[in-house]
Amino acid sequence: MLNKLLELLFGIVGFLYSILTGRTAAITPTTNVMEFDTQLNQHLERGKPLLGRLVRRGPEDGHNDMADWMKSLPDERPLNAITYPGTHDAAAYNYAGEGHHFWNCQTQPLLQQLDSGIRALDLRYALKDGKLLFFHSIALLDEGAEVVDIIWGLHGWLREHPHETIIVSLKVDNGDPYAADVQEHMQRVLDDTSRREFWVADVTTRTTLREARGKLVLMRRFPYGQPVGFGVSEDWKVNDGNFKIALDSDRNTFAQIEDFYLLIGRPRDTEWQLGEKEKATMQHLERAQAAIEHDSGDLWITFSSAVGDRRTAPDEDVTPRVMALGRDNVQGINQRMKAWCRQHPSKPLGIVFMDFVTIQRKDAGLLYEEEPDTDLIRLFAGMQQPH
């Protein structure tokens, strides 16, 4: 009886808090508002090297339409019938170690990416010194920011933007994903954040946006003993431009994936490599748009990110940045996708993970200069017309 009264009391407190502040609060009978905010601030501080700064809204703040663009989408839209602009290796934005030209894939920390309109984050981690830390392959991106800090930080951002949702892809990128200690650490993270209702529970492709607003949606690229999130860890094909993974035991719905990321055979040949990547990416986007329009029920995932193969060609110089932005007179994949979006109907495409999506090359002849640019994010965020 006492527990039920406590649940009711904290439910009322959380409701009043959301009314007064305009923010959502995951309050439980064992965590009051002040304690929750204290914990959130601790995670935000520890995760700051990768998260960046959380912009807390106030009545005097100006409106950023890209920070709240999902607000205009209908509540009953199923999650698989939305275009989510996303970032590949989202946490790899300021790595300064050896090979940084090949490990960095973004230019902004995670919360700034969300403010710019990104709604899907591809995050890679590994267990090091008893902590789940973020990696891009062998590159340790930060020694202090843990997976749990970033999940809390993303929830903190959603409290400021309660009409939005974020697809969070988590993958072990260094070490054995089946190792017992790796799985135990991740189970603690999921137990902590699930009981606080950070995640959409029992998510399917038919889950509606109404159910997902203010919450995270897990895309699970790691093995786990329970059916949590969209489970796509099994049968992920390496360097494949068109494959599928069943999302349910009855094999009624699938994740349809393009992840052709490694260009092999013609090192330093920017034009050929970008041409091959463009074919794989654009063909998959066209299949995705047609399938979603016909209500296939599948989840479509496209990676526009790619790189030349340094393992077989040590002198390879086609980095993720070159693939995204181009070089000399060769257009990058981002510029090609802008043209594709403008030439196709503004209909949903699913999840699109991209590199260096917040900048572009200046039109300065052969000089390699860059400038801020979020037009591609805006274009994809606008591809939402219902079928």
Side-chain angles (χ1 to χ4, degrees), residues 303-344:
F303 285 84
S304 72
S305 50
V307 68
D309 183 22
R310 284 193 301 164
R311 295 175 300 180
T312 58
D315 63 340
E316 177 63 271
D317 65 352
V318 181
T319 64
R321 203 180 204 103
V322 171
M323 289 295 294
L325 305 180
R327 180 166 58 189
D328 299 334
N329 63 344
V330 180
Q331 289 187 344
I333 194 70
N334 290 358
Q335 194 169 355
R336 300 178 193 210
M337 286 195 298
K338 284 182 186 179
W340 188 93
C341 288
R342 290 172 176 137
Q343 294 165 6
H344 286 73

Side-chain angles (χ1 to χ4, degrees), residues 137 142 146 228 235 269 282:
S137 186
D142 187 75
E146 300 181 40
V228 178
D235 301 320
D269 190 337
M282 306 314 181

